[in-house]
Amino acid sequence: MPLPEPLRGPAFSSYAPDEVGWLLQDLSSVSLEAPTEEREEAIQAGGAHYAESLPVEYQPSEQYQALFHSALATSAARIARAVGTVTETVLAERSPRPVLVSLARAGTPVGVLMRRWAQYADGLDLPHYAVSIVRGRGIDTTALRWLAAHHDPADVVFVDGWTGKGAITRELAEALRNFPGFDPRIAVLADPGGCVETYGTRDDFLIPSACLNSTVSGLISRTVLRDDLVGPDDFHGAKFYRELAGADLSRTFVDTVVARFDEVAEQVASDVKELAAADRTPTWAGWAAVERISEAYGIHDINLVKPGVGETTRVLLRRVPWKILARRGAGTDLDHVRLLAEQRGVPVEEVDELPYSCVGLIHPRYTRGATGADGKAVTAL
């Protein structure tokens, strides 16, 4: 069977065709969305996998969109600095002409920005693709075969937005065991979990692309893997939400960050030198913290504990949140988290000694470690 070809904008996604090739199949015509509570029950009861359906896309209020724009204006230079740092580190340590392969969808805006930095600072026109990886199911093997057929696997650098507890980092390493030549080390914009050695920063700060869903990721849904839709020689699937074009901020996000490249160039050069001399061995401190939180709150399932600003935002947008833990004094980075929590009636509990700015707890109603109002485990029936 001949391998399928990548999808590109404007036919699939609102990014320009040269900015990213999506190693996905277009499932836009398939009805895949389900109400959040219905999805959560099916996932936690073990009858469904999260990648078999899609959440209904959150449509932000004017107040929430204003928070996004405010956060972008505040953090654009910080993001530009991290983009430059991780890109230059990749060029120095991984490959002089890397093939950027972002993990759809959170990694894709970062891959687009890394490609832009390489053009700006180094005059390089790097190829960039987006692939699907699914927790518990692994990476899209058809996409890996396509990459191996078109590029040297040694040049492939997998890109993601941020690390939480490191589940995807481990998933990728395991998935690549049967694909020699590919380097499993992910490059990320932010590594608050201490899970990787190639990163722009280890600070847990708000990356505004985490605030929104498809409208900051080229209008593409999260990826779908279902046996009746994805055959052994197919790419995983996703939808292109063309109808949301009026609300699309994908290019706004990228262009706003790119506009700050000049002012951070000297800082990037300094950061890259510091990182080159630093001990960047992963500590997995985030994973250990998640295990502690899981036990302390009677959840007993680390998959229901989502650490970091980005993951907490996803919990509030796409899952059934139970409560939010916020590090005391975290400040304006959490304004959008507090707004979403208020809108969904979710309590925000301030805690000390949290290694992340915040942690989102998914409601454990359907798990064996169900909790009472006091946050402690109750005996399962």
Side-chain angles (χ1 to χ4, degrees), residues 79-201:
I79 295 166
R81 182 176 175 179
V83 166
T85 300
V86 71
T87 306
E88 293 300 329
T89 300
V90 163
L91 291 170
E93 300 180 356
R94 302 284 291 273
S95 170
R97 293 198 65 87
V99 177
L100 303 177
V101 178
S102 59
L103 303 181
R105 91 188 140 171
T108 304
V110 177
V112 171
L113 283 168
M114 290 177 67
R115 184 176 180 278
R116 289 279 197 100
W117 178 275
Q119 287 177 320
Y120 157 82
D122 305 288
L124 298 174
D125 189 15
L126 301 181
H128 173 216
Y129 306 97
V131 302
S132 168
I133 186 168
V134 176
R135 183 166 49 79
R137 303 278 181 89
I139 198 166
D140 186 337
T141 56
T142 302
L144 289 181
R145 288 190 286 123
W146 191 95
L147 288 167
H150 292 81
H151 300 280
D152 183 347
D155 288 330
V156 169
V157 176
F158 293 97
V159 172
D160 208 356
W162 56 86
T163 63
K165 55 182 171 284
I168 291 297
T169 306
R170 294 186 176 192
E171 188 85 42
L172 181 63
E174 181 63 31
L176 292 176
R177 287 182 186 275
N178 296 323
F179 288 85
F182 288 99
D183 189 331
R185 295 175 296 166
I186 302 178
V188 299
L189 199 60
D191 178 37
C195 310
V196 301
E197 60 185 55
T198 308
Y199 53 84
T201 178

